[in-house]
Amino acid sequence: MKSFTIAGLANSLRQKKISAHEIAKETVDRYKNDPSNSVIRLNEEKLFEQAVAADKLGYSNNAPWLRGIPLGIKDNIVTTDTQTTCASKILEGYQSTYNADVVNRLALAGALMANKLNMDEFAMGSTGEYSQFGAVLNPCNKDYVAGGSSAGSAAALKAGIFAGTLGSDTGGSVRLPAAFCGVLGLKPTYGLVSRYGLVAFGSSLDQIGPLAHTVDDLAAILEAVAGRPKDKDSFYWEQDSTLSPVQNQPYRQALVTAANKKLNIGVLDLESLSKQSVVNDEIENRQNELISFLTKKGHKVSKVAIPSIQYSVAVYYIIAVCEASTNLARFDGVRYGKRCSSGNLEEHYTKTRGQFGAEVKRRILLGTFALSAGYYDAYYKKACQVRRIIKNDFINTLNSHDLILSPVSATTALRCGASTDPLQTYLNDLFTIPANLAGLPALSIPVGRDKNSMPIGAQIVGRPFDEVTLLSVAQSIQTEFYKEAEVENAI
Amino acid sequence: MSKEFNQDVVTKMAKLARLELTAAEVNEFGNQIDKILDYISVLNKVDTNNIEPLYTPLDIENRYTAKFSPDTTNSASTAQALVDIAPESMGNHYLVSKVITEK
């Protein structure tokens, strides 16, 4: 079964080889036969409605690039036409009264949606096993996890159901599943993509990001949702006051101009991380082969040490859980979601919130503790101080380097059921967390397979709002170093 | 082991967070969180003297007063639409369990 790429579908539509209606039909078919449990729900009626409307508008050369193409949307991004549940029982039946900004912008760009992708409950998890709607399996091998928390965003893409998807990334939740499943995944610079309509987990860390098979496709999704549109007024910031004033730019075009630029690449010195993480040999070897390739291409490659990264897991698992304990306080069964009615009001709250899964409860408890009287300074404030140190170290490194190369994680995809210790699972996020703490753009790129044929990813972190450099390097890697089979064989 | 996060603390935090926990959960979470806090204590080694806490990656800037016009109503959803999706409502009120009980 061939995978879709956005460019492949867009060209086929323009050459009249296929219609949006046929694409939608194929999408529904693949969703119904999906062995990876990557899609939580798909509103067939709405999808066909959107497809018919797209076909009616047609595919002239002036038509928006994404017209007629179904894209997958993570279940924590709200839409009016399909329920949003964050893979949690507490939001069963929740139908949002408004669309997320990214959804409105994708609709304007012609994309079809009417679906929600499976994920770890409330984006808390890194394997995809914490969904209350069943675990997401890795399409490369169903004995392995897809990674999380945007598990469905990576798996539905790899399984060929959608040509592109949106996920969200708070500590690596787009990049890790992308690496485990062998697709591209980008966490944009904090403030580039609106969080209006993204169910908040860690508000100072969350970013919505695209996943795709090719760099051109990734750029196509990004340019539809990123940056301030020219005609936006103050309401834009009323929706999300953390948005940057950076303007929308045409990333696909920018890629062409940025190609062949010679860069200063810093390779993260793993020794400097004080044995926090022992990276799997195959991942390290593959990274070394990648470094040789980049050197041959004329880039200046050197080692960089950022020792403060060794504290990033500790910092994150205070800040993220603190923000989460506040953000999830709104789920009380009063205004939306599934309520567990009981005697008095307090029981109503505790029983309703008792519907949260174990990982969500753990994080709320920890966050409540770290923010409580007597502990706030020792935990939350301290973590925020170390956060500044980590951010400063990254900014300093990026003064003399265009980007920083590292593994995405110490291992490739884990086997299903292997993650039993929460703390051990948290340590998998060591390499992805720093970009969220510092607000920097970070991209996960497939660079090979291990001896079990599971995908290996590499990560590049760049300067604020310099997504173009990251995309351009990824394109060079995908064209001349390594590409996954789907990229060759796509429709 | 710090043993800071014992069962009393779990129960107290659960009450603050309005979370219902089973006895097994109180025990299990107590142990797991205790281990996590132990790991987190590595931050005590970091010298944060004179370091301003970083609460958001952005430079904080007030975008409302200086640049934009005064408050205007621009709501994405009407009040009624919001009340309609509640589990229990009456008119434009949310219904909840009794707060005040008769003695």
Side-chain angles (χ1 to χ4, degrees):
Chain A
M1 184 189 72
K2 286 179 183 257
S3 272
F4 298 131
T5 59
I6 292 173
L9 290 176
N11 284 321
S12 295
L13 286 164
R14 279 152 186 74
Q15 290 159 25
K16 295 192 168 51
K17 289 187 185 159
I18 201 172
S19 69
H21 192 261
E22 287 168 316
I23 298 172
K25 207 159 164 291
E26 183 63 24
T27 303
V28 170
D29 218 50
R30 292 178 180 204
Y31 149 62
K32 289 188 166 151
N33 292 304
D34 174 29
S36 65
N37 195 29
S38 60
V39 183
I40 276 191
R41 64 191 67 86
L42 190 151
N43 189 331
E44 280 180 61
E45 201 190 309
K46 280 271 159 30
L47 184 68
F48 282 117
E49 222 176 83
Q50 293 172 9
V52 166
D55 283 336
K56 229 181 188 159
L57 291 169
Y59 308 96
S60 69
N61 285 328
N62 291 329
W65 190 236
L66 298 177
R67 179 176 288 163
I69 298 174
L71 298 179
I73 307 294
K74 189 176 181 183
D75 192 29
N76 59 357
I77 296 172
V78 301
T79 57
T80 53
D81 64 9
T82 320
Q83 283 178 25
T84 310
T85 58
C86 301
S88 177
K89 290 203 196 100
I90 208 175
L91 278 179
E92 250 179 77
Y94 172 58
Q95 195 95 23
S96 174
T97 54
Y98 68 102
N99 284 319
D101 180 73
V102 293
V103 168
N104 283 335
R105 288 173 60 165
L106 282 179
L108 222 79
L112 314 184
M113 290 168 275
N115 68 82
K116 289 292 160 64
L117 301 178
N118 206 355
M119 54 185 276
D120 283 305
E121 190 186 1
F122 283 106
M124 298 184 190
S126 44
T127 63
E129 293 171 302
Y130 288 144
S131 165
Q132 287 200 28
F133 288 70
V136 182
L137 308 176
N138 195 315
C140 299
N141 184 327
K142 62 176 173 50
D143 293 334
Y144 293 81
V145 300
S149 63
S150 308
S153 305
L157 177 65
K158 194 63 170 180
I161 302 173
F162 294 104
T165 60
L166 284 186
S168 72
D169 191 310
T170 306
S173 289
V174 160
R175 293 162 285 155
L176 189 67
F180 280 6
C181 291
V183 296
L184 292 156
L186 172 73
K187 182 201 85 67
T189 310
Y190 186 83
L192 183 64
V193 178
S194 177
R195 293 179 301 108
Y196 178 71
L198 171 69
V199 176
F201 158 16
S203 310
S204 76
L205 303 158
D206 294 337
Q207 268 294 279
I208 293 176
L211 295 93
H213 289 299
T214 66
V215 177
D216 184 61
D217 283 359
L218 203 69
I221 304 174
L222 187 64
E223 72 186 36
V225 301
R228 183 184 178 196
K230 289 193 178 62
D231 60 348
K232 263 305 185 176
D233 55 21
S234 63
F235 188 54
Y236 184 60
W237 277 298
E238 282 167 37
Q239 290 182 344
D240 175 1
S241 60
T242 60
L243 279 166
S244 163
V246 160
Q247 296 257 334
N248 174 259
Q249 72 170 282
Y251 291 100
R252 291 178 68 220
Q253 205 180 306
L255 267 179
V256 179
T257 330
N260 301 321
K261 194 161 164 239
K262 300 297 172 248
L263 303 166
N264 248 330
I265 299 176
V267 178
L268 187 63
D269 179 6
L270 301 178
E271 308 284 313
S272 71
L273 300 181
S274 174
K275 294 196 186 68
Q276 272 292 292
S277 167
V278 181
V279 176
N280 176 315
D281 276 340
E282 289 176 279
I283 295 180
E284 224 180 317
N285 290 340
R286 198 54 183 154
Q287 186 175 275
N288 288 334
E289 286 167 5
L290 177 61
I291 290 168
S292 301
F293 164 75
L294 293 167
T295 311
K296 274 201 202 86
K297 294 296 291 174
H299 302 297
K300 182 158 166 276
V301 183
S302 57
K303 257 200 175 140
V304 295
I306 309 181
S308 57
I309 289 179
Q310 68 187 287
Y311 303 116
S312 54
V313 175
V315 168
Y316 176 83
Y317 280 100
I318 293 176
I319 294 178
V321 303
C322 285
E323 293 185 1
S325 70
T326 302
N327 281 324
L328 269 63
R330 70 193 66 190
F331 299 106
D332 55 17
V334 175
R335 290 154 296 165
Y336 35 69
K338 185 154 158 272
R339 131 192 314 200
C340 289
S341 287
S342 193
N344 59 35
L345 187 60
E346 176 151 353
E347 271 174 29
H348 158 121
Y349 287 148
T350 57
K351 280 200 178 339
T352 295
R353 290 164 64 77
Q355 292 177 100
F356 284 132
E359 182 61 27
V360 175
K361 282 182 178 167
R362 258 192 299 270
R363 295 194 192 196
I364 292 175
L365 290 169
L366 184 50
T368 306
F369 179 71
L371 287 172
S372 63
Y375 293 100
Y376 177 97
D377 281 354
Y379 287 107
Y380 182 66
K381 186 173 167 208
K382 181 79 178 180
C384 291
Q385 287 173 305
V386 182
R387 182 179 186 174
R388 187 175 292 282
I389 293 174
I390 294 170
K391 182 186 174 185
N392 288 346
D393 286 352
F394 266 83
I395 298 294
N396 285 336
T397 307
L398 289 167
N399 276 336
S400 50
H401 296 81
D402 295 295
L403 52 95
I404 299 166
L405 171 68
S406 79
V408 178
S409 83
T411 65
T412 53
L414 305 160
R415 295 190 80 96
C416 294
S419 304
T420 49
D421 177 9
L423 178 58
Q424 277 311 304
T425 311
Y426 295 167
L427 295 172
N428 285 337
D429 299 334
L430 177 71
F431 296 110
T432 48
I433 280 172
N436 300 86
L437 296 178
L440 300 169
L443 176 57
S444 175
I445 310 166
V447 291
R449 294 270 180 139
D450 73 5
K451 63 180 185 289
N452 294 321
S453 207
M454 294 308 287
I456 296 174
Q459 175 182 245
I460 44 177
V461 179
R463 297 196 181 102
F465 305 107
D466 194 17
E467 279 75 5
V468 176
T469 299
L470 299 183
L471 292 171
S472 150
V473 172
Q475 184 148 80
S476 151
I477 291 172
Q478 192 165 66
T479 318
E480 297 169 79
F481 178 72
Y482 176 80
K483 55 166 74 85
E484 283 276 302
E486 282 78 17
V487 180
E488 287 284 10
N489 303 326
I491 292 173
Chain B
M1 268 309 184
S2 64
K3 273 293 168 254
E4 209 166 357
F5 215 79
N6 57 39
Q7 303 207 6
D8 283 339
V9 179
V10 179
T11 310
K12 188 166 169 226
M13 293 304 125
K15 192 169 159 77
L16 280 178
R18 298 294 187 267
L19 279 182
E20 179 179 76
L21 299 178
T22 63
E25 280 174 327
V26 172
N27 193 30
E28 190 192 345
F29 294 163
N31 288 332
Q32 288 167 336
I33 296 175
D34 201 51
K35 228 173 132 188
I36 295 166
L37 285 173
D38 210 42
Y39 172 78
I40 282 171
S41 67
V42 71
L43 294 185
N44 295 331
K45 290 197 225 151
V46 186
D47 180 9
T48 49
N49 222 355
N50 294 320
I51 305 276
E52 253 324 280
L54 183 73
Y55 299 116
T56 166
L58 306 165
D59 295 316
I60 297 184
E61 184 194 318
N62 188 332
R63 297 220 174 89
Y64 286 92
T65 49
K67 295 178 186 173
F68 299 106
S69 45
D71 277 347
T72 49
T73 328
N74 192 345
S75 178
S77 313
T78 62
Q80 196 55 54
L82 289 169
V83 173
D84 284 344
I85 61 171
E88 279 178 87
S89 61
M90 184 174 74
N92 69 342
H93 291 73
Y94 292 115
L95 288 181
V96 296
S97 312
K98 251 184 174 178
V99 179
I100 300 167
T101 48
E102 327 261 353
K103 262 273 159 62

